[in-house]
Amino acid sequence: MSVFRIDLLRHGETEAGQCFLGRTDAALTDRGWQQMHAGLEGVRPEDYEGVFSSPLQRCSAFAEQWAGSDGFVTDARLREYDFGQWDGHTAAHIHATDPAALGRFWQDPWHCPPPQAESLADFFVRLEALVDQLQQEHSSAVLLICHGGVIRALHCILNGLPVSEMFSFPVAHGSLHRLQDARQ
């Protein structure tokens, strides 16, 4: 009996730099492209039953180049967490303008999201629905080309970890992560 596996590739460095990057559709830098290719070194699209990508160009442009235009599917549920009013701003900027809100978010992101941001509860629900659907439709390995927040959330979801563990899971640009569902 084969075990359902999810591999997750984080997008590479973007032209937006180090900031809260959710819904902003930033392109990859040359280094970002290199990071993603390095993350999948020795891996082929044929190694997966399905390849899925966030619709944001920092993921989908790479997916199209790597898997071909017919070799992957975009899924809006793989979008990054929406940081609301903080989207596109650095933590230093937020700290300078509203340090208390930033501190509350780092301490308790579940209950203290950024202004006009997506709730983490909604973020987790959409990712759980995606995983459930993938498990129903696939029996072996799938690749998700996505974002750091998505990978951290899925790490918590699939391993039954509390949300407080989300930020302690390192997810470098272009890194590949292999997860199995430990919920069952």
Side-chain angles (χ1 to χ4, degrees):
M1 179 175 154
S2 65
V3 176
F4 179 70
R5 186 184 87 225
I6 299 175
D7 285 358
L8 302 108
L9 177 71
R10 183 181 181 195
H11 66 78
E13 174 185 275
T14 71
E15 293 175 352
Q18 294 292 325
C19 64
F20 290 108
L21 191 59
R23 66 178 178 262
T24 298
D25 200 9
L28 293 169
T29 63
D30 289 341
R31 183 169 187 244
W33 284 94
Q34 293 167 359
Q35 290 168 326
M36 294 179 81
H37 282 291
L40 289 178
E41 187 175 342
V43 179
R44 303 167 305 144
E46 300 81 31
D47 296 337
Y48 296 100
E49 195 175 346
V51 176
F52 301 86
S53 172
S54 163
L56 296 172
Q57 69 175 321
R58 58 191 181 265
C59 298
S60 62
F62 177 84
E64 183 169 0
Q65 182 197 65
W66 185 74
S69 59
D70 295 331
F72 77 103
V73 174
T74 57
D75 192 310
R77 293 173 293 185
L78 286 170
R79 290 180 335 271
E80 178 61 288
Y81 173 76
D82 184 342
F83 290 98
Q85 290 180 356
W86 293 0
D87 198 75
H89 296 284
T90 64
H93 172 80
I94 303 302
H95 185 265
T97 58
D98 195 351
L102 183 63
R104 287 190 303 271
F105 175 68
W106 289 131
Q107 282 294 107
D108 186 6
W110 193 267
H111 295 103
C112 302
Q116 299 178 357
E118 176 178 23
S119 76
L120 273 179
D122 289 346
F123 182 55
F124 273 60
V125 164
R126 75 171 149 97
L127 292 174
E128 287 170 341
L130 172 67
V131 168
D132 291 345
Q133 181 180 346
L134 290 173
Q135 287 180 325
Q136 290 172 8
E137 296 176 357
H138 302 279
S139 60
S140 60
V142 295
L143 174 66
L144 309 181
I145 300 173
C146 54
H147 309 275
V150 170
I151 295 169
R152 288 180 179 102
L154 287 173
H155 171 71
C156 290
I157 291 166
L158 296 175
N159 290 298
L161 298 172
V163 176
S164 60
E165 294 294 316
M166 205 170 144
F167 297 116
S168 63
F169 185 64
V171 183
H173 284 119
S175 59
L176 183 65
H177 304 266
R178 180 161 287 170
L179 299 177
Q180 293 176 345
D181 194 346
R183 298 178 296 174
Q184 302 166 8

